[in-house]
Amino acid sequence: MLQFLKELPKVELHAHLNGSLGIGSLRDLAERLHGSASEEFSQLCQRFIRFDRDSDLDACFEKFAFVHELTSTAEGLRYATELAIRDFARDNVQYLELRTTPKANGNYSRREYLQHVLEAIGEARKIYPNILVKLLPSINRAEPVAVAEETVSLALEFAQSHPDLILGIDLSGNPGKGRFSDFAPILSLARDQGLKLVLHCAEIENPVEVKEMLNFGMSRCGHGTFLTPEDIAQLKSRNTAIECCLTSNIKSGTVPSLEEHHLKRLMEADAPKVICTDDSGVFDTTLTQEFLLAKETFGLTRDQCVALTLEAVQHSFASVEEKQVMAAKVKKYVDSWQ
Ligand code: 6MZ
């Protein structure tokens, strides 16, 4: 089964760029930026050792801050993008929707941030031709609404010049910070202008906000950990898939154990769902590993893993033709195992 899942041409719909850099990639990045003989490199390696410990949600956000230090230059950001794509390609992910929050610092503006990432995706396409990558700029709910407005405006502008690359907007960031209702107007504008919306929703217990988000609507729901049976029924009635990230939820402490993961409830309710990594680097996982955990915990069969992959194809924001190519790859692969 491990071999089957590893080689399965998988589909990743919920992956944050800076969270997708594992210790190996961070080391590669530090080496590229500073050289392996430098004092900076050995100091960073010392910090990597502490990086690996399990933690709660707030501690995860500290880890992101550490990764952000390494991607705070144009060179770091571009190479990080290539490394994240490399690692998904190595795990036989054939389609990746990568999200990232445009940032501004002394080295780049938010506009330049997006330009660097888009160019790096273009360059990675030549090195890793077997993985199709799309980009979803993220709004960080912990930042002011004005920043979200700039992000949406840039996303709309770049979606014009890269219509096959930028397909939607993600709302993420520490779920304990900011208020959804403050971001609803700008999200609404993005949707009216043709961008799909993926919202982190019900990652923590906040029933009032969850209701607001569900009534507002979304193309896919990130996490959905604290959804009630009624919420799940509402999403099901609209064919809105819930992005399940098992290791992320366990390591960030929002789900107490794998056995209690809501993937089980979603399967029982026959609700639309996809299996994703969230932050494969920070949580030290792969999409193959997530499928394996689902199999070991809930007894998923090979056919169910294939069905979940085809479900992810359908819930992706790829074009009809791209979806056909992806599904054909999965079918061809499955046939080769018969
Ligand atoms: C909410 C998350 C997240 O954007 O710098 N992010 N937001 N919940 C989560 N669950 C654990 N995991 C990641 O990637 C890292 C950023 O993505 C968001 C956070 O804003 C984090 O800083 P980028 O590429």
Side-chain angles (χ1 to χ4, degrees):
M1 188 74 160
L2 172 61
Q3 183 77 355
F4 177 84
L5 291 173
K6 171 88 188 141
E7 290 173 18
L8 178 67
K10 293 173 286 296
V11 170
E12 170 64 79
L13 299 185
H14 186 137
H16 299 269
L17 169 53
N18 280 278
S20 298
L21 300 168
I23 292 190
S25 293
L26 291 173
R27 187 180 284 271
D28 291 347
L29 186 54
E31 191 173 348
R32 167 76 68 96
L33 295 176
H34 303 292
S36 57
S38 68
E39 180 59 24
E40 286 97 332
F41 180 74
S42 57
Q43 278 179 8
L44 282 165
C45 288
Q46 285 304 312
R47 291 172 70 193
F48 294 156
I49 297 167
R50 292 199 299 275
F51 190 79
D52 207 17
R53 301 215 177 112
D54 289 358
S55 49
D56 61 15
L57 203 49
D58 284 331
C60 295
F61 282 86
E62 286 168 26
K63 290 184 185 176
F64 295 131
F66 170 55
V67 180
H68 289 150
E69 284 178 39
L70 281 166
T71 57
S72 64
T73 60
E75 188 188 8
L77 177 61
R78 293 172 83 108
Y79 191 43
T81 307
E82 181 189 320
L83 290 170
I85 295 170
R86 175 196 74 180
D87 291 348
F88 282 109
R90 282 183 179 167
D91 192 36
N92 288 311
V93 170
Q94 60 159 321
Y95 176 88
L96 165 66
E97 283 180 17
L98 201 56
R99 354 178 141 195
T100 194
T101 320
K103 297 165 193 68
N105 59 32
N107 297 317
Y108 46 63
S109 62
R110 290 191 182 84
R111 167 185 293 278
E112 287 163 341
Y113 183 100
L114 277 179
Q115 274 168 337
H116 289 311
V117 173
L118 285 167
E119 283 171 22
I121 291 175
E123 282 157 26
R125 193 170 284 166
K126 296 177 209 145
I127 312 171
Y128 306 105
N130 293 333
I131 180 167
L132 180 61
V133 182
K134 308 285 183 181
L135 185 66
L136 309 175
S138 299
I139 291 173
N140 181 350
R141 56 181 292 156
E143 289 183 323
V145 173
V147 174
E149 287 167 350
E150 186 185 348
T151 298
V152 168
S153 150
L154 289 169
L156 287 167
E157 181 190 326
F158 284 116
Q160 294 277 320
S161 50
H162 301 76
D164 57 334
L165 249 179
I166 295 199
L167 306 177
I169 286 278
D170 162 52
L171 176 72
S172 54
N174 193 329
K177 300 195 173 156
R179 278 195 317 217
F180 168 72
S181 54
D182 293 339
F183 296 96
I186 190 62
L187 288 167
S188 188
L189 184 140
R191 181 163 57 190
D192 290 346
Q193 300 288 318
L195 293 175
K196 301 267 200 290
L197 298 183
V198 283
L199 307 184
H200 281 60
C201 171
E203 189 177 5
I204 58 173
E205 199 162 13
N206 187 348
V208 174
E209 187 181 88
V210 171
K211 293 280 175 269
E212 282 170 13
M213 285 187 167
L214 294 183
N215 291 335
F216 178 83
M218 60 196 89
S219 290
R220 292 195 309 258
C221 168
H223 296 289
T225 315
F226 290 89
L227 293 170
T228 64
E230 295 72 36
D231 298 334
I232 293 172
Q234 188 176 348
L235 288 169
K236 183 179 171 183
S237 72
R238 296 180 183 172
N239 194 26
T240 305
I242 296 140
E243 301 159 345
C244 292
C245 313
L246 282 87
T247 301
S248 161
N249 296 155
I250 298 298
K251 290 199 175 176
S252 61
T254 53
V255 171
S257 71
L258 280 172
E259 290 70 25
E260 291 163 85
H261 197 277
H262 50 291
L263 174 61
K264 182 159 188 246
R265 282 186 277 127
L266 298 177
M267 291 196 307
E268 285 164 359
D270 195 24
K273 68 226 151 288
V274 289
I275 292 189
C276 312
T277 54
D278 198 13
D279 299 290
S280 52
V282 163
F283 298 124
D284 190 23
T285 188
T286 60
L287 194 50
T288 297
Q289 172 68 10
E290 295 303 295
F291 271 101
L292 207 57
L293 283 177
K295 173 206 165 287
E296 283 165 2
T297 313
F298 303 117
L300 285 192
T301 62
R302 221 171 77 170
D303 285 353
Q304 283 175 307
C305 292
V306 172
L308 275 168
T309 301
L310 292 172
E311 206 172 342
V313 169
Q314 288 317 318
H315 288 286
S316 75
F317 299 151
S319 68
V320 174
E321 294 75 26
E322 287 168 339
K323 286 182 182 179
Q324 282 167 352
V325 172
M326 285 191 258
K329 271 193 194 165
V330 173
K331 291 203 174 89
K332 186 171 171 210
Y333 173 73
V334 173
D335 287 347
S336 75
W337 276 73
Q338 304 298 342

